[in-house]
Amino acid sequence: AVVSTQSTGVVSPMTRTLQTHRHVFRKVTCPVTVSALPREQGDFPCDHGREKSKLEREFPEYDFSGIDEMWWTEGETQEQVNKRAEEFKSYLLNLSEQTIVVVSHGVFLKSLVRTSEKHRGFRSFKNCDAVRVKLYEGGELDVLNG
């Protein structure tokens, strides 16, 4: 699938994902939503977010109205992450666009893929990996490459 003005993007509010999206998609003009749903899971300092007000100053081209000032969670269990992954799949399925670019994090994306019965043993994503995934009504998904 080609990213175009008919596409949409969803990006995690972590600084590193915003920087990646800004760099990789700087010449693509499609709507982008900042969402805390695909945020990273982890208790390392690099997995903690920054206040929305700071992000708004550093990334003025993004709309942060959909996230809280303190949008990240510390100490999330795997069960909580799996629930958030299911919520994210529902969120994606409710978008009208057929091509959706998600800029997120390896640990979260691995959890997202593993919520599908046929991908329970999915290993991981590489750093800066670009993987095509087909998401079906009901939440099942296919990893098309990667």
Side-chain angles (χ1 to χ4, degrees):
V2 175
V3 179
S4 71
T5 56
Q6 313 308 292
S7 308
T8 193
V10 181
V11 62
S12 159
M14 295 292 291
T15 299
R16 62 185 180 262
T17 48
L18 292 163
Q19 290 169 332
T20 298
H21 185 272
R22 177 191 270 171
H23 177 74
V24 174
F25 297 101
R26 67 183 170 273
K27 294 182 180 178
V28 178
T29 55
C30 69
V32 177
T33 301
V34 176
S35 171
L37 284 173
R39 69 186 178 271
E40 186 61 291
Q41 168 200 14
D43 283 326
F44 297 106
C46 65
D47 297 327
H48 298 174
R50 292 170 49 214
E51 293 85 357
K52 175 172 88 168
S53 55
K54 291 180 182 176
L55 295 171
E56 288 172 322
R57 284 192 297 276
E58 188 172 342
F59 301 96
E61 68 271 33
Y62 293 95
D63 177 6
F64 292 93
S65 63
I67 65 170
D68 295 329
E69 180 67 16
M70 304 289 279
W71 51 266
W72 63 94
T73 306
E74 296 177 27
E76 238 179 343
T77 66
Q78 187 60 51
E79 183 177 310
Q80 291 169 316
V81 174
N82 291 347
K83 182 176 186 258
R84 183 162 48 90
E86 292 291 349
E87 289 173 26
F88 188 57
K89 286 195 297 188
S90 294
Y91 170 82
L92 294 174
L93 286 167
N94 284 312
L95 296 174
S96 61
E97 294 83 2
Q98 294 297 303
T99 302
I100 304 166
V101 174
V102 176
V103 182
S104 184
H105 310 274
V107 174
F108 175 75
L109 292 173
K110 179 173 70 172
S111 295
L112 179 75
V113 170
R114 285 183 172 178
T115 62
S116 176
E117 190 63 42
K118 66 171 137 183
H119 295 292
R120 294 274 190 244
F122 184 80
R123 291 274 212 213
S124 66
F125 290 95
K126 295 179 182 128
N127 196 27
C128 294
D129 221 352
V131 177
R132 289 183 61 222
V133 175
K134 172 76 175 168
L135 179 60
Y136 300 96
E137 287 294 328
E140 278 301 307
L141 53 80
D142 281 324
V143 177
L144 302 176
N145 67 339

